Amino acid sequence: MERLLHLFAAAPAAESITKEPIVPFLILLLVILFVPLLFERFLKVPGLVGLLAAGVVLGPQGLRVLERGAPPMDLLPEIGLVYLMFVAGLEIDMEQFRQTRNRSLTFGSFTFLVPLIMGTVVGLIFFPGKWNTSILIGSLFASHTLLAYPIVSRLGVVKNEAVTVTIGATIFTDIGALLVLAICVAIHQGDFSATRLATLIGSLVIYSVVVLFGFDRAGKEFFKRSGDDQGNQFLFVLLAVFLAAVGAQLIGVEKIVGAFLAGLAVNDAVGEGPVKEKVLFVGSVLFIPIFFVSLGLLIDIPAFIASINSITLTLAIVTGLIVSKFLAAYFAKLIYRYKWNEMLTMWSLSVPQVGATLAATLVGYEAGLLTKEVLNSVIVLLLVTATLGPLVTSRVAPTLIDASQELEPEPVSPYWSTGETATHPFGVLVPVYNPKTEQYLIEMAALLARQAQGRILPLAIAKATAHMDAPQLEAAFKRGDTLLENATNLSRELGVEAEPLLRIDDAIAQGISRAAKEQHASLIVMGWGQRTGLRARLFGNVIDSVLWAAHCPVAVSRLLKSPKEFRQILVPVENITPQAVSVLRFVSLLAAANGAHIVLLHICDRNTTPGRVAWIRSQLSLLVDKLALPDHPEIRIKPHPNVTQAILEVAKDCDLVVIRSTRRRTSAGGLTIADTTTQLIGAIACSLIMLGEPQPASFSASSEQQAVRG
């Protein structure tokens, strides 16, 4: 009550409200929600540029709504800074790093030392005699952000040695740059001697060993014992991040060093599971964007304009970085005899400067080592390299697919006859819950099962209660019996054997994946869930959980008419990978069941040469011939600048579109990168099936195996 009286006291209500800490937080949420979207859709520039601009407009140089040091800008940007570096460590693929460790170390040394020397020279030219500042500028050159990773991943060239080596080198460059930053800041704080330097280095070594090995082992043990408790696993990851950050400060180095090491340490334990997705999501939608907004608050517009007018420093920093990264990639080419396109890919992947560079720049600026001119020049560097790197990668990386070699993978057996399902009849598990969608799902399952001479497994799940005689459990049983009876009758009408299942389980998703495993199902057919948005992204939904846990493919279906009426099925094919082959086998089974015609669609760039188009067509034809499909599919290659729009244009004449599920990735900067699958889901007007493959065993089992070995 006293709080209310205070709000409506002598000061006007509007003025009182603006002093509340929750108001700046509300403004931040509005900025994060709308500004990146506006910049990406209308200005066609990265969303983080919009966040920086919002910080400038709302900060001391603009409307003065936000101010560093005032709530909530005194805590959230610090969390965002720590989170940014943690994500940079967490996103590194440790398995790929282990495969090319030695070459990654060599290229990492080149792409660290050459830019470090170049940056130090630039610093000495503009800040004569200031070795500490100059070396710190050099360390800003040394690191890099894998901003273009989604491009090489989409093109299917991640396994190329040049790409893998560059990814592995990120570990060495980021750790090296952060260690140089720690030493430079410690020297700048005064009272520094050779003894203290030796003590600091010794402390860093001990601390790094404790974090990398101690946190790694603790994480694997905790994840092993906690089972499917994603909430506690998420809290453990957060605890590891901030415990490592505090530990770094205790030994006298910057907290971002600890955050990055924590990301590397829990990398194996977290794996590629739903906990990692939640960790990345929380950072990408809240903490990291707030950090970029707070960075915009530091931009002094007059100084920024002055630094552009006296463009010498900015030009030297940008040019020095680009040239030094090119030289490092060129040295690697000479030693390992990489081709020019591989060398240019390594260069373009190592050019972008976002994560570690921005974090180190802010720390150096706040410590008084770097001037405002350097800060402004680094922001220009960010904009230039974040644009140049992905642009070059998108042009060069496609050439890594050698036209003299076939893109076709090793022969892949149908997914319904591999592994343990090879010794069991083909079975389609169909969770039944919604009577409105049940008929079409059963019809599609029947078509597939009849074609493969298999069976249908209708499944109803009753949520477990504390007491087995609880009324709600009895009601769930009755409802399940009714749904299963309908499914069984429909299956008989379609001439397929049905084995109804009714089980009690704590969670729907776990019940589905466990029943599929117990019954040796070859495929799970599910209806499209209705829950989307923030709640689904934070806590996941049934589809997400089943896609993650299932041992077999999952066909998530949005069927607008009976599958028996499908006459034309569209299958977009980007690269000929084992996953794409599995999708084609699934579609061929469905098409053979009702005599549908298959259209294979490949979207290429408008600048693709006729020879390249002809080669792609020949590879697709070869794949179709070797699959021995009953009805030879139609192959279409469509040049178009927008993949999503091209698919939508062709889909207008089709009854069904089948796409492969691909997980959303986040850049090391934390901002979500929209993928074609997500855009298609909301735009396709006809029936749609998203086929999700089971997670690779190396991802799902690696942590457990390593925990056992440890």
Side-chain angles (χ1 to χ4, degrees):
M1 188 66 180
E2 292 179 358
R3 187 70 171 169
L4 291 175
L5 291 175
H6 171 72
L7 287 175
F8 293 98
E15 183 178 347
S16 299
I17 291 177
T18 56
K19 294 180 181 178
E20 292 294 315
I22 197 172
V23 174
F25 186 68
L26 173 63
I27 295 172
L28 284 172
L29 293 180
L30 291 173
V31 167
I32 296 170
L33 182 61
F34 293 109
V35 171
L37 188 64
L38 293 175
F39 271 69
E40 290 172 357
R41 286 193 177 180
F42 298 104
L43 301 181
K44 304 301 181 182
V45 296
L48 65 87
V49 177
L51 295 175
L52 291 172
V56 174
V57 173
L58 299 174
Q61 302 296 322
L63 301 177
R64 300 184 180 181
V65 176
L66 300 177
E67 182 179 353
R68 285 183 66 90
M73 303 304 293
D74 55 344
L75 175 63
L76 294 181
E78 292 295 316
I79 296 177
L81 178 62
V82 170
Y83 222 102
L84 177 68
M85 292 309 304
F86 169 69
V87 168
L90 192 64
E91 284 282 72
I92 293 176
D93 192 326
M94 298 301 293
E95 189 62 34
Q96 290 184 351
F97 166 69
R98 294 185 185 100
Q99 294 173 3
T100 56
R101 182 166 35 205
N102 294 333
R103 295 198 172 192
S104 292
L105 175 59
T106 302
F107 177 62
S109 301
F110 287 148
T111 197
F112 174 79
L113 292 175
V114 175
L116 177 66
I117 296 171
M118 180 77 76
T120 302
V121 171
V122 170
L124 289 174
I125 292 175
F126 289 91
F127 304 97
K130 295 186 177 181
W131 280 92
N132 204 18
T133 297
S134 301
I135 292 175
L136 180 55
I137 293 175
S139 73
L140 302 181
F141 283 28
S143 62
H144 63 259
T145 303
L146 294 172
L147 206 62
Y149 179 87
I151 297 176
V152 293
S153 176
R154 177 175 56 83
L155 292 171
V157 296
V158 173
K159 297 301 181 182
N160 183 279
E161 184 181 296
V163 176
T164 306
V165 164
T166 307
I167 294 171
T170 308
I171 297 178
F172 300 110
T173 59
D174 285 3
I175 290 179
L178 293 175
L179 292 181
V180 172
L181 169 69
I183 295 174
C184 289
V185 171
I187 293 175
H188 179 70
Q189 290 173 349
D191 190 23
F192 198 80
S193 61
T195 303
R196 187 171 177 184
L197 176 61
T199 303
L200 177 63
I201 294 176
S203 301
L204 273 172
V205 172
I206 296 173
Y207 166 79
S208 300
V209 170
V210 171
V211 172
L212 290 175
F213 294 98
F215 282 30
D216 176 51
R217 182 157 186 170
K220 291 173 182 175
E221 186 67 23
F222 184 86
F223 272 63
K224 179 182 177 182
R225 294 183 180 275
S226 60
D228 294 328
D229 191 346
Q230 297 178 16
N232 283 336
Q233 291 172 353
F234 176 80
L235 291 176
F236 174 85
V237 172
L238 291 185
L239 176 64
V241 176
F242 294 102
L243 185 61
V246 172
Q249 290 183 305
L250 289 177
I251 66 171
V253 300
E254 287 299 323
K255 53 185 172 290
I256 60 177
V257 178
F260 181 76
L261 292 177
L264 295 177
V266 302
N267 201 308
D268 279 333
V270 175
E272 294 293 325
V275 175
K276 179 177 179 179
E277 291 187 351
K278 291 173 175 59
V279 169
L280 296 180
F281 171 69
V282 170
S284 65
V285 302
L286 186 61
F287 295 128
I288 295 176
I290 289 178
F291 165 72
F292 281 110
V293 174
S294 71
L295 191 62
L297 300 179
L298 296 175
I299 299 177
D300 187 340
I301 296 298
F304 190 78
I305 296 175
S307 66
I308 294 178
N309 290 335
S310 57
I311 200 171
T312 312
L313 174 62
T314 303
L315 191 60
I317 288 179
V318 173
T319 305
L321 181 280
I322 294 174
V323 171
S324 61
K325 290 294 184 181
F326 183 88
L327 290 175
Y330 183 71
F331 292 156
K333 174 186 181 299
L334 294 179
I335 292 179
Y336 296 118
R337 298 182 179 179
Y338 291 133
K339 300 176 182 177
W340 276 103
N341 57 350
E342 293 176 320
M343 188 275 285
L344 290 174
T345 301
M346 297 173 74
W347 170 63
S348 64
L349 286 172
S350 60
V351 159
Q353 305 291 306
V354 179
T357 304
L358 267 181
T361 302
L362 181 61
V363 171
Y365 173 75
E366 292 181 337
L369 266 171
L370 301 178
T371 64
K372 199 147 233 177
E373 289 74 21
V374 175
L375 174 65
N376 294 332
S377 297
V378 169
I379 291 175
V380 175
L381 176 70
L382 178 153
L383 299 177
V384 172
T385 58
T387 303
L388 176 65
L391 179 63
V392 175
T393 302
S394 64
R395 298 289 183 182
V396 179
T399 64
L400 295 180
I401 306 172
D402 190 353
S404 64
Q405 302 175 356
E406 293 184 0
L407 286 176
E408 183 187 0
E410 293 296 322
V412 181
S413 301
Y415 59 76
W416 55 84
S417 63
T418 59
E420 65 176 74
T421 58
T423 59
H424 297 87
F426 180 79
V428 184
L429 185 79
V430 187
V432 290
Y433 179 79
N434 186 352
K436 296 181 180 178
T437 60
E438 179 181 1
Q439 179 172 344
Y440 288 168
L441 293 177
I442 293 295
E443 284 185 9
M444 188 173 77
L447 289 174
L448 296 169
R450 187 168 56 198
Q451 186 65 24
Q453 299 179 347
R455 57 189 177 140
I456 300 178
L457 301 167
L459 171 67
I461 296 177
K463 290 288 290 291
T465 58
H467 302 285
M468 290 297 101
D469 59 350
Q472 56 266 41
L473 185 59
E474 292 295 331
F477 258 77
K478 290 180 181 179
R479 185 175 186 277
D481 284 332
T482 302
L483 291 170
L484 291 176
E485 184 179 359
N486 294 337
T488 303
N489 292 335
L490 182 58
S491 301
R492 288 172 182 166
E493 294 176 6
L494 297 171
V496 180
E497 176 189 358
E499 300 178 12
L501 306 171
L502 178 60
R503 67 177 293 153
I504 303 174
D505 213 298
D506 296 325
I508 301 296
Q510 292 178 357
I512 294 172
S513 56
R514 289 168 180 170
K517 181 68 174 179
E518 293 166 358
Q519 298 298 321
H520 308 288
S522 308
L523 175 70
I524 299 174
V525 173
M526 297 179 63
W528 209 279
Q530 296 298 317
R531 204 177 93 199
T532 58
L534 181 63
R535 177 175 172 81
R537 289 287 302 279
L538 274 174
F539 304 106
N541 53 32
V542 172
I543 292 176
D544 295 334
S545 300
V546 174
L547 283 171
W548 170 253
H551 76 288
C552 61
V554 182
V556 185
S557 311
R558 186 187 67 193
L559 306 178
L560 304 182
K561 62 181 180 179
S562 172
K564 294 184 291 186
E565 300 176 12
F566 294 157
R567 293 296 174 262
Q568 184 136 310
I569 303 176
L570 175 64
V571 186
V573 178
E574 184 172 19
N575 295 299
I576 305 177
T577 61
Q579 293 79 12
V581 172
S582 184
V583 173
L584 289 177
R585 292 186 183 277
F586 167 81
V587 173
S588 66
L589 189 67
L590 180 60
N594 59 1
H597 179 63
I598 303 173
V599 178
L600 300 185
L601 176 65
H602 177 82
I603 310 300
C604 63
D605 189 84
R606 284 180 172 174
N607 297 323
T608 304
T609 63
R612 177 76 179 176
V613 171
W615 176 72
I616 294 173
R617 186 182 298 277
S618 68
Q619 294 299 295
L620 290 173
S621 298
L622 180 63
L623 174 65
V624 169
D625 292 340
K626 291 199 172 185
L627 286 176
L629 302 179
D631 177 33
H632 197 283
E634 175 187 353
I635 298 175
R636 296 187 193 179
I637 299 179
K638 186 179 180 68
H640 202 285
N642 188 307
V643 175
T644 303
Q645 190 60 39
I647 295 175
L648 291 176
E649 291 176 2
V650 180
K652 292 178 181 178
D653 301 323
C654 298
D655 302 303
L656 173 69
V657 177
V658 181
I659 56 178
R660 182 169 64 89
S661 170
T662 55
R663 292 187 174 273
R664 296 172 64 87
R665 298 191 61 86
T666 56
S667 67
L671 299 178
T672 301
I673 298 173
D675 61 309
T676 302
T677 301
T678 303
Q679 299 172 30
L680 287 173
I681 288 172
I684 288 180
C686 62
S687 295
L688 177 67
I689 294 177
M690 183 178 70
L691 188 68
E693 290 292 312
Q695 290 293 320
S698 59
F699 286 144
S700 59
S702 60
S703 342
E704 296 181 7
Q705 292 171 353
Q706 291 170 8
V708 171
R709 288 197 298 267

